[in-house]
Amino acid sequence: MAIETATAQTPPRPMRADARRNYERLLAEARTAFTQHGTDASLEDIARRAGVGIGTLYRHFPNRTALMGAVFQGEICALLERSRELAKAPRPCQALIDWLRAIVDHASTYRGLSQALMACSGDETSELSRGCGLPLREAGSELLARAQQSGAVRSDVVIADLMQLTNAIALAVEQSPEDPELANRLLALAFTGLKAR
């Protein structure tokens, strides 16, 4: 009789009910803290508000970027779904602009997110990069390619630069909450430079 052993393909064991509750409370408190205080909010405060110790937080999320990635996962899925919808839009350049605006809106919700995404952009091993940056870059690559193939965007534009530019715009918007039109103006300026001659 063969003995079954765990392999890399064996799915992880489901969490116990109490561990699942702790995980969900930590996510909810982290989402609130990141919205109110930014992504550098105290992890100790997040754990305390969730009613657990800091050790429990680190068992679920080994570092801040892992917690950030888990918090933003729902929004990332929504942005990826939006990119799939826009990939069928009749105006590829406008679709790309609309999607980048959605990224700016998302990043502006959490103070510090755009800066964290910019910082991890060169580190593909970072959990934030793997969970957020890389999927967004892949989705953006398809929208950018469509806009380039339509002749609306210069062929030398690369998605990595465009994502850094988008994060920089989100950072500027974050620093200027009194100017609700700033994102639109900066995106319009950026696309003036991206247009094919």
Side-chain angles (χ1 to χ4, degrees):
M1 182 164 125
I3 298 173
E4 290 185 23
T5 58
T7 67
Q9 293 150 355
T10 303
R13 290 186 344 187
M15 282 189 219
R16 295 186 334 250
D18 60 332
R20 170 56 65 188
R21 280 191 302 275
N22 289 342
Y23 180 88
E24 295 300 334
R25 281 198 310 257
L26 284 164
L27 279 182
E29 291 300 333
R31 186 172 286 109
T32 299
F34 291 164
T35 301
Q36 294 175 349
H37 308 292
T39 56
D40 59 350
S42 165
L43 297 184
E44 289 81 6
D45 285 348
I46 291 170
R48 184 176 43 74
R49 288 190 178 113
V52 300
I54 191 67
T56 299
L57 184 146
Y58 282 121
R59 270 194 300 281
H60 288 291
F61 310 102
N63 53 48
R64 181 178 299 274
T65 57
L67 178 58
M68 289 168 62
V71 166
F72 306 139
Q73 196 58 52
E75 288 98 336
I76 296 303
C77 289
L79 286 168
L80 295 176
E81 178 59 32
R82 181 74 176 128
S83 76
R84 287 188 285 274
E85 292 167 6
L86 289 168
K88 301 171 192 155
R91 295 171 49 210
C93 187
Q94 187 60 51
L96 179 61
I97 294 168
D98 290 348
W99 189 70
L100 294 175
R101 176 57 201 248
I103 291 175
V104 169
D105 290 343
H106 162 64
S108 301
T109 303
Y110 301 100
R111 190 164 37 93
L113 176 57
S114 51
Q115 187 171 356
L117 287 170
M118 289 173 78
C120 78
S121 67
D123 179 10
E124 295 188 0
T125 64
S126 157
E127 291 180 56
L128 187 59
S129 182
R130 284 195 321 264
C132 297
L134 290 175
L136 292 178
R137 195 178 310 162
E138 288 170 12
S141 291
E142 293 178 27
L143 293 172
L144 174 60
R146 280 188 76 227
Q148 288 171 323
Q149 289 162 6
S150 76
V153 174
R154 292 175 13 200
S155 61
D156 62 337
V157 175
V158 296
I159 193 61
D161 292 346
L162 193 53
M163 294 303 291
Q164 285 289 70
L165 181 59
T166 303
N167 284 319
I169 290 171
L171 186 57
V173 169
E174 175 187 307
Q175 300 298 317
S176 305
E178 72 288 345
D179 187 353
E181 287 303 310
L182 182 60
N184 290 333
R185 291 196 315 273
L186 293 177
L187 281 168
L189 279 173
F191 271 89
T192 299
L194 296 175
K195 284 183 183 174
R197 301 269 188 282

